Amino acid sequence: MSRKKTLLAISSPSGGGKSTVARYLLNKYDNLKFSVSATTRKPRANEIDGKDYFFLSKEEFLRKISEGDLIEYEEIFGNYYGTLKSEVEKAKSSNHCLLFDIDVKGALSIKRIYPEDSLLIFISPPNLDILKERLIKRGSETEEQLNIRLARAKMEMGLREQFDFDLMNDDLNNTLKQADKIVTKYMRV
Ligand code: ADP
Ligand code: 5GP
């Protein structure tokens, strides 16, 4: 049997529920820490620099790329998002597991770079209408951003078969239970 994993990547189309699942797991497991990504997106009202993201200017982000500080990065919805090498190094040296809230391509990059250490969970919305409803209800996007996010959802759903697990997020409690089961079985938490 292969050894337990230390890197957990959770992906879904925007509004699919990955942050909700991530928050639940991070609350439950002391040994699981959030990988704080860098982004050029502007902070939302409730977001804190250094906790939710490192909010950078485009120039600062491009410098990080050229200095080799990012493990992977993608341009998504008109902004850059990337995983910092320092987050993974910190996790290794302090021996904790790391949770990535990351887009599908980023998750597949993590798998390619750390094939033995990573576990990938995809969170599927029951369907695209429900996804739209949840995004509208969350109220965090302008109508333009909402449409951009929904347009990307189809591509993202098309890559879910490459994930280790695909959880249908219909009833939230059930989704959380399933995610928890996977984590206790496969992660070194
Ligand atoms: P993501 O991080 O993937 O963009 P969120 O976790 O923010 O998605 O979820 C989008 C919205 O849908 C949030 O308002 C969240 O509370 C809600 N939500 C998540 N899962 C469910 C569910 N199973 N049923 C109903 N609403 C949900
Ligand atoms: P949001 O703007 O909703 O916070 O994030 C938009 C998308 O970027 C989400 O799918 C989120 O998971 C993804 N994302 C966040 N951080 C990273 C990262 O470091 N790398 C990649 N590839 N995607 C990320």
Side-chain angles (χ1 to χ4, degrees):
M1 205 180 92
S2 65
R3 64 187 154 91
K4 290 218 170 184
K5 315 286 185 189
T6 53
L7 306 175
L8 173 64
I10 302 188
S11 298
S12 74
S14 183
K18 64 189 159 311
S19 308
T20 306
V21 173
R23 252 193 317 271
Y24 170 79
L25 295 172
L26 288 165
N27 267 331
K28 177 147 187 187
Y29 296 103
D30 285 345
N31 190 34
L32 183 64
K33 310 273 188 216
F34 182 59
S35 170
V36 182
S37 293
T39 186
T40 59
R41 170 168 73 63
K42 296 276 169 285
R44 293 180 186 140
N46 56 342
E47 288 180 327
I48 298 169
D49 189 27
K51 180 168 175 275
D52 297 290
Y53 281 107
F54 293 104
F55 293 100
L56 306 181
S57 66
K58 189 168 177 191
E59 292 66 38
E60 288 168 326
F61 197 100
L62 294 177
R63 195 173 328 126
K64 292 243 178 263
I65 297 174
S66 67
E67 290 176 356
D69 292 340
L70 300 176
I71 286 166
E72 61 76 39
Y73 67 93
E74 298 288 336
E75 196 178 349
I76 308 164
F77 314 133
N79 283 301
Y80 287 108
Y81 295 81
T83 303
L84 290 156
K85 203 182 265 177
S86 53
E87 292 290 288
V88 178
E89 281 166 1
K90 209 164 49 181
K92 281 208 170 124
S93 65
S94 58
N95 226 12
H96 59 250
C97 293
L98 211 49
L99 183 150
F100 304 87
D101 176 331
I102 195 167
D103 92 300
V104 283
K105 291 184 177 168
L108 296 174
S109 296
I110 297 285
K111 187 85 184 174
R112 188 167 31 76
I113 302 163
Y114 305 105
E116 299 299 321
D117 295 326
S118 58
L119 185 78
L120 269 49
I121 300 181
F122 191 90
I123 310 288
S124 289
N127 59 54
L128 292 179
D129 288 336
I130 291 180
L131 178 68
K132 185 173 180 181
E133 251 171 52
R134 288 183 186 166
L135 264 176
I136 291 172
K137 227 175 177 178
R138 189 172 74 182
S140 54
E141 316 303 324
T142 61
E143 193 173 344
E144 189 196 0
Q145 267 296 321
L146 192 100
N147 288 330
I148 295 173
R149 283 167 186 257
L150 289 171
R152 191 179 160 94
K154 287 183 193 151
M155 176 282 285
E156 294 170 314
M157 295 291 283
L159 292 174
R160 68 185 156 164
E161 282 175 10
Q162 296 183 48
F163 280 61
D164 298 310
F165 293 94
D166 178 9
L167 301 185
M168 159 78 80
N169 183 18
D170 195 350
D171 174 72
L172 181 59
N173 276 333
N174 186 38
T175 307
L176 297 178
K177 226 183 268 168
Q178 286 186 59
D180 195 15
K181 245 189 194 166
I182 294 167
V183 167
T184 47
K185 183 161 183 194
Y186 295 102
M187 299 287 302
R188 203 195 61 209
V189 284

